[in-house]
Amino acid sequence: MLSRTAENLFWMARYMERAEATARLLTMGQRMAILPGAHHRDEWRSVVRATGALNHFPEGAQVTESDAIAFLMLDLDNPSSIRSSLLKARANAKSARTMLTQDMWEALNEGWRKLDSYDVAEARQQLPALIDWVKTRVMTFRGAAHSGQLRNEGHDFLRAGSALERAQMTLRLLDIKYYVLLPETEVVGGNRDHYQWTSVLYALSGARAFHHVYGGTYTPWQITDFLMLNRLFPRSVAYCYDQLAYRLNRLAGWHDARAACHDTVREMVADLEKLDSGEIFRAGLHETVQSGLMSTNRLGVEIAQAYHFG
Amino acid sequence: MPFHEMFEPDGSIRPCYAEVQNWVERTGIAGLNRRMDEAEAIFRRIGITFAVYGEGGDPERLIPFDLLPRIFTGQEWRVLDKGIRQRARALNAFLHDVYHRGEIVKAGIMPADIIYRNSAYLAEMADFTPPGKVYSHIVGIDIVRTGPTRFEVLEDNCRTPSGVSYMLENREIMTRMFPELFAQGVVAPVDDYPAELLKSLKEVAPPACKGDPVVVVLTPGSLNSAYYEHSFLADLMGVELVEPADLFVDDDRVWMKTTLGPKAVDVIYRRIDDEYIDPLVFRPDSLLGVPGIFNVYRNGGVTLASAPGSGIADDKAVYIYVPEMIRFYLGEQPILDNIQTWQCGKPDECAYVLENLHELVAKEVHGSGGYGMLIGPKSTKDEIAAYADRIRANPGEFIAQPTLDLSTVPTLGPAAVVGRHADFRPYCLVGKQIRLVPGGLTRVALTEGSLVVNSSQGGGVKDTWVLQD
């Protein structure tokens, strides 16, 4: 397979995953903003931070719902807005067109300029419908790949891209929660804290799954355990790392060659296996998350080197 | 009255259109128009966007699709088929001749200037013979119909004729929407075109190729207006679609960069222009090309399809001599006629053109896509005078042709079947053998009376049927 094609598949999956994650974040923001005790209005600021793009807003400035929707959904200057992500995913798909099934292409191509026609006021008014639309597009795309794409290396690049992006989003969400949102005056486990932790679960569509695994009570420790370490939940960091290891291993098999990325991912999986939620909190959730983000970034670079991207 | 392909002058239906007429009556015009919207939605969803070569415009634009097929009888097709193959052979023989001994010039049939001072002539190709002596591997010939048995060639396309994806997709859509029309098997299939193309390309593998030739399609990239077609063809042939940056030259071979490391490429169906192929030989400012590729080509390490320099055969000034080429190289009488053409570069013909401009169609020799032309009968006095000044200033750059009584084909209007002018582009494949699928692209002017079928000027496309008898 052409290196450029591999790169396009990898990034196409990342952008699709990113579009969906940002859509979920917007839902989470709205949910947090209407929860009891949400008087600080820091909720939208934290949502923007989760995308790693807070530096677009001046420090200390308030981020309103309109700001967040404009920036995260529509802004073409924001490289990770939903609109940017979908456009880039489509551009990648177009370049790798011969590796996509017709259904995958249609999922990306259907209504690809839909967001062009919205201004902030309209987007705000129709937010739930737009978010559903984005999620449906991404899920259709994923389903098309799942049910129709050849299980050749192209599929492995696609799935590796999506696992990498997903791991990063879950890590960032955990970071916001623990490090940014918790007001100094409030006790960990307080009322507001409780709502915010559940918001994180909702943002990842994991609230019900969480109940099935841990029963009725929410604690930061259990939620962290669930999102970091639980191998049953497909958005947990551990699951995504396993998936990355599996995909990279298959690629090593196709090519009969190993590179730095294969060692790195093995270390990432092994390091995570040594942890439990108690240790994460003792070492500091923020520190754990930051080191996770650093390893995933490094892994992304090493994958590109191994397969001659760019 | 121009020849109408569906109706006899007395209003009765020509027999080859009988089935279509029944279908129109059964479905009703309103019903057909609804299906047309469906067809358009399918085109848009699967992302068939296209702009015919050289026409410019929005690369993501959809070309209007007309539901009513254009039909050739088996007998009509047999004549066209022979004529097209004949022309493709003559054009390739001409290309070999101009890059070698130039016999046609020595014989006094063509003036040397037209060839050797032409910007499409590449001196770098002199004395080199591509594999199989094939220069133009896909010859697209634009044909118009001017009477019940009369077909005339408007233009030859020897470089990268585009639109073949439309031939295939139009058929695909028609069979999807009207399976009953095809169930009887009276329409000859065209869907083996990609397989025939791949065969033809493999047949011209270079001397360095060992084993099964590795074929790729080379595109300038996804922003190109015909990118959809490039990816579509690569997909249907099951070969890689590469961009110039995916290729490099080493050790007298061309390689593509893959996740497994470099892989040798044997045949490149290139959809980029000559001047952008190799910045070391042609345009040094080109960011597109593959440095060194031309040298590998000349040393037999790779085949470029079409050969650089093939454009000399489809130049409008050279077109005039194609019937002579057929006689000279093949010793045969031309089966398809050229349109009568006056060259403004010749003083007496120029005088005639200037005098009769109001009833002629005048064109720039290097123009394309319906731009820069003058349709005399539809122009104002001022427009004609201005165009005449341009011809006087630079006569060698212009040709003129009579306004033809082009046939009209049945086209779906809002309330009735209407007649619209159309042309036809079949795609003739040249490898060790010559191959031609029964069909091609019919382009239709959707405006009443208009003679311009280019998509940039409101033209559409329709399925072309060759009936099997």
Side-chain angles (χ1 to χ4, degrees):
Chain A
M1 170 183 292
L2 291 175
S3 295
R4 180 175 51 80
T5 306
E7 182 178 14
N8 278 319
L9 290 168
F10 185 78
W11 276 100
M12 175 176 62
R14 290 194 68 164
Y15 287 128
M16 288 304 269
E17 200 67 37
R18 194 173 288 179
E20 189 196 16
T22 307
R24 290 173 180 283
L25 274 174
L26 285 169
T27 313
M28 172 182 150
Q30 270 208 324
R31 195 184 147 81
M32 287 202 303
I34 58 167
L35 287 175
H39 50 277
H40 292 278
R41 295 289 173 220
D42 278 342
E43 285 73 16
W44 287 111
R45 193 174 177 82
S46 70
V47 163
V48 171
R49 180 183 286 264
T51 68
L54 192 59
N55 54 354
H56 286 254
F57 289 89
E59 199 159 340
Q62 199 186 21
V63 180
T64 65
E65 180 174 289
S66 286
D67 292 339
I69 290 172
F71 183 68
L72 295 179
M73 180 166 285
L74 301 175
D75 193 348
L76 282 180
D77 293 330
N78 171 11
S80 52
S81 73
I82 294 175
R83 194 165 151 215
S84 298
S85 299
L86 291 178
L87 290 180
K88 283 192 276 190
R90 182 179 180 275
N92 287 134
K94 217 177 152 193
S95 274
R97 177 78 196 256
T98 54
M99 292 302 295
L100 265 57
T101 66
Q102 191 62 37
D103 289 335
M104 286 167 78
W105 169 252
E106 285 181 21
L108 278 159
N109 198 42
E110 177 119 355
W112 68 285
R113 294 178 99 153
K114 183 183 169 85
L115 293 179
D116 293 4
S117 56
Y118 280 83
D119 61 22
V120 182
E122 274 173 310
R124 208 174 152 185
Q125 210 173 25
Q126 298 184 33
L127 193 64
L130 281 177
I131 284 172
D132 280 349
W133 176 76
V134 175
K135 282 163 65 176
T136 307
R137 297 268 44 92
V138 178
M139 288 192 243
T140 308
F141 169 77
R142 206 179 278 137
H146 178 78
S147 61
Q149 197 188 17
L150 286 178
R151 261 41 178 183
N152 56 15
E153 55 173 318
H155 189 71
D156 291 320
F157 280 112
L158 186 92
R159 296 293 294 270
S162 130
L164 189 80
E165 186 71 25
R166 196 181 273 191
Q168 288 190 339
M169 183 51 80
T170 302
L171 285 165
R172 287 214 198 91
L173 271 170
L174 277 166
D175 204 30
I176 298 171
K177 177 57 210 93
Y178 193 73
Y179 185 70
V180 183
L181 272 187
L182 186 66
E184 283 165 21
T185 53
E186 271 189 76
V187 185
V188 175
N191 211 18
R192 181 164 177 231
D193 195 38
H194 167 84
Y195 282 119
Q196 289 171 344
W197 274 108
T198 55
S199 294
V200 173
L201 281 180
Y202 275 103
L204 294 170
S205 295
R208 293 202 178 183
F210 178 82
H211 286 306
H212 283 288
V213 180
Y214 297 90
T217 45
Y218 297 104
T219 69
W221 295 272
Q222 281 178 336
I223 292 175
T224 301
D225 186 75
F226 182 62
L227 296 182
M228 286 287 290
L229 307 174
N230 190 295
R231 296 202 133 75
L232 302 179
F233 181 54
R235 293 181 193 279
S236 78
V237 176
Y239 182 92
C240 293
Y241 280 11
D242 282 351
Q243 182 65 215
L244 274 164
Y246 174 68
R247 295 296 161 187
L248 289 176
N249 211 24
R250 273 173 60 93
L251 286 169
W254 293 115
H255 297 149
D256 200 17
R258 302 184 70 83
C261 64
H262 298 98
D263 297 332
T264 300
V265 78
R266 206 170 42 204
E267 280 164 33
M268 284 162 63
V269 171
D271 288 350
L272 208 59
E273 268 170 358
K274 288 185 220 139
L275 290 180
D276 64 28
S277 60
E279 275 168 62
I280 291 176
F281 277 84
R282 272 192 297 280
L285 179 56
H286 177 63
E287 286 70 18
T288 311
V289 163
Q290 283 305 316
S291 101
L293 283 172
M294 265 157 58
S295 1
T296 46
N297 277 335
R298 184 173 129 207
L299 184 67
V301 172
E302 287 174 356
I303 292 173
Q305 282 164 350
Y307 299 105
H308 317 288
F309 291 2
Chain B
M1 273 298 281
F3 175 67
H4 196 300
E5 304 211 8
M6 182 157 170
F7 300 104
E8 302 283 8
D10 66 0
S12 60
I13 304 290
R14 287 182 65 222
C16 59
Y17 276 94
E19 193 53 42
V20 167
Q21 173 68 12
N22 287 338
W23 170 59
V24 170
E25 278 170 11
R26 264 197 326 269
T27 320
I29 299 291
L32 289 173
N33 273 301
R34 271 197 303 280
R35 303 306 298 270
M36 192 106 117
D37 293 341
E38 276 173 53
E40 199 140 295
I42 296 175
F43 274 122
R44 195 168 288 286
R45 204 176 70 237
I46 61 186
I48 304 177
T49 54
F50 187 76
V52 175
Y53 182 71
E55 287 187 18
D58 175 9
E60 301 267 355
R61 193 180 32 143
L62 211 60
I63 294 188
F65 170 68
D66 184 72
L67 221 46
L68 299 182
R70 185 259 185 90
I71 299 176
F72 292 115
T73 64
Q75 198 182 351
E76 286 165 351
W77 181 253
R78 278 187 289 279
V79 176
L80 283 171
D81 178 276
K82 271 177 80 174
I84 294 157
R85 289 169 191 260
Q86 180 189 54
R87 208 160 164 109
R89 279 187 290 141
L91 290 165
N92 270 293
F94 168 73
L95 280 161
H96 184 263
D97 186 30
V98 298
Y99 289 115
H100 290 81
R101 299 166 57 86
E103 304 281 3
I104 198 164
V105 175
K106 288 183 193 151
I109 295 169
M110 275 181 79
D113 270 12
I114 280 190
I115 300 167
Y116 301 110
R117 303 187 70 167
N118 196 306
S119 62
Y121 175 84
L122 286 187
E124 292 85 352
M125 283 294 290
D127 303 324
F128 170 70
T129 305
K133 276 170 79 167
V134 184
Y135 288 78
S136 178
H137 305 77
I138 300 103
V139 187
I141 296 178
D142 292 345
I143 297 172
V144 291
R145 185 172 198 171
T146 48
T149 57
R150 193 163 168 76
F151 296 95
E152 293 179 73
V153 175
L154 204 56
E155 192 171 277
D156 306 290
N157 298 277
C158 296
R159 294 172 246 201
T160 51
S162 60
V164 76
S165 58
Y166 257 74
M167 168 183 90
L168 297 167
E169 290 288 21
N170 289 346
R171 178 62 57 84
E172 176 74 23
I173 297 263
M174 289 294 277
T175 49
R176 213 194 277 199
M177 296 184 62
F178 306 104
E180 74 276 10
L181 284 179
F182 293 88
Q184 301 139 344
V186 291
V187 181
V190 291
D191 53 3
D192 50 351
Y193 178 84
E196 301 284 82
L197 174 60
L198 186 59
K199 265 188 239 166
S200 304
L201 292 170
K202 284 187 174 181
E203 281 175 4
V204 293
C209 171
K210 304 281 175 272
D212 191 28
V214 175
V215 176
V216 299
V217 175
L218 176 62
T219 174
S222 61
L223 297 177
N224 185 270
S225 59
Y227 178 76
Y228 170 74
E229 173 152 306
H230 306 161
S231 74
F232 179 83
L233 287 174
D235 218 4
L236 289 182
M237 289 194 287
V239 306
E240 292 286 3
L241 176 66
V242 302
E243 296 178 13
D246 296 323
L247 299 178
F248 68 97
V249 163
D250 187 39
D251 198 21
D252 239 0
R253 296 297 314 263
V254 175
W255 307 84
M256 59 179 159
K257 299 175 197 164
T258 79
T259 54
L260 286 163
K263 183 174 181 188
V265 170
D266 298 306
V267 182
I268 300 177
Y269 177 25
R270 49 110 180 186
R271 296 290 297 252
I272 70 180
D273 293 346
D274 284 355
E275 53 186 328
Y276 299 108
I277 290 179
D278 187 341
L280 298 185
V281 181
F282 306 107
R283 279 179 67 150
D285 60 329
S286 166
L287 297 174
L288 263 184
V290 184
I293 197 173
F294 188 74
N295 201 28
V296 176
Y297 174 59
R298 283 204 57 135
N299 290 332
V302 74
T303 297
L304 298 174
S306 56
S310 298
I312 184 68
D314 65 21
D315 187 87
K316 285 193 179 76
V318 170
Y319 154 87
I320 299 155
Y321 297 93
V322 177
E324 291 303 323
M325 289 176 200
I326 292 170
R327 292 186 194 98
F328 184 71
Y329 297 115
L330 311 179
E332 298 171 9
Q333 284 305 312
I335 297 164
L336 299 173
D337 287 322
N338 262 16
I339 291 168
Q340 184 180 14
T341 305
W342 293 276
Q343 296 169 266
C344 300
K346 294 183 178 171
D348 51 334
E349 295 190 16
C350 188
Y352 175 85
V353 169
L354 289 171
E355 206 151 298
N356 296 282
L357 207 48
H358 59 284
E359 50 188 40
L360 299 176
V361 177
K363 297 175 184 175
E364 293 173 16
V365 172
H366 303 296
S368 70
Y371 289 109
M373 59 190 267
L374 177 92
I375 302 177
K378 294 197 190 271
S379 304
T380 64
K381 274 195 165 143
D382 287 348
E383 284 165 350
I384 291 172
Y387 207 89
D389 286 342
R390 292 183 57 202
I391 295 178
R392 276 185 213 102
N394 233 332
E397 293 295 300
F398 294 87
I399 56 167
Q401 294 167 333
T403 45
L404 297 172
D405 228 4
L406 287 194
S407 70
T408 57
V409 295
T411 301
L412 189 61
V417 174
V418 296
R420 292 290 181 263
H421 296 301
D423 76 356
F424 174 60
R425 177 184 290 182
Y427 301 85
C428 185
L429 297 168
V430 187
K432 280 184 183 148
Q433 296 174 30
I434 296 190
R435 302 180 169 88
L436 188 60
V437 296
L441 176 65
T442 292
R443 297 190 295 174
V444 57
L446 294 175
T447 317
E448 188 174 4
S450 169
L451 293 170
V452 185
V453 296
N454 303 86
S455 65
S456 53
Q457 318 226 346
V461 295
K462 51 168 66 221
D463 196 12
T464 310
W465 293 3
V466 173
L467 301 185
Q468 321 201 73
D469 34 37

